[in-house]
Amino acid sequence: MDVNVQFFRPTTRADGSALPVSDIATYLIFSRLNGGAYTDTGLTAPGDAQSVLIPTATLTPGVHNFAAKTVDVSGQQSDLSGGSNAVTIAAPVAPPNPPTNVSATLQ
């Protein structure tokens, strides 16, 4: 199972000038766990993307929010976006125990 983090690409720079999609190099994806500080997930999305899939197996169980930064082709980074809605990642369920008292008889 994956978390699909979706976003709309910015169309302007911080000064209000136009930002064509060709000027966007990548998006950096951030996560925060249980209301803590945002940390870089190490995941990126290409400049023409509007979402990124994050495998839940790579996330610590708990309540996550996600945010992103835009990076332009000259390496300038935007401020961190507003956070996403909360997504709860459950702890993995342990497999069952094996049967006990297994025996065999000739019939």
Side-chain angles (χ1 to χ4, degrees), residues 66-92:
F66 298 92
K69 286 185 177 184
T70 305
V71 181
D72 71 10
V73 293
S74 64
Q76 297 181 100
Q77 293 185 18
S78 71
D79 290 336
L80 193 62
S81 70
S84 72
N85 56 305
V87 176
T88 301
I89 307 300

Side-chain angles (χ1 to χ4, degrees), residues 4-93:
N4 185 15
V5 178
Q6 299 176 315
F7 46 87
F8 292 109
R9 76 168 187 85
T11 57
T12 58
R13 294 181 174 277
D15 66 0
S17 62
L19 178 65
V21 69
S22 60
D23 283 358
I24 300 173
T26 193
Y27 299 96
L28 307 176
I29 308 302
F30 293 77
S31 173
R32 75 175 177 186
L33 177 62
N34 299 325
Y38 278 100
T39 58
D40 189 343
T41 64
L43 299 172
T44 61
D48 60 351
Q50 291 190 305
S51 68
V52 63
L53 293 176
I54 301 175
T56 56
T58 66
L59 299 170
T60 301
V63 178
H64 288 263
N65 297 88
F66 298 92
K69 286 185 177 184
T70 305
V71 181
D72 71 10
V73 293
S74 64
Q76 297 181 100
Q77 293 185 18
S78 71
D79 290 336
L80 193 62
S81 70
S84 72
N85 56 305
V87 176
T88 301
I89 307 300
V93 176

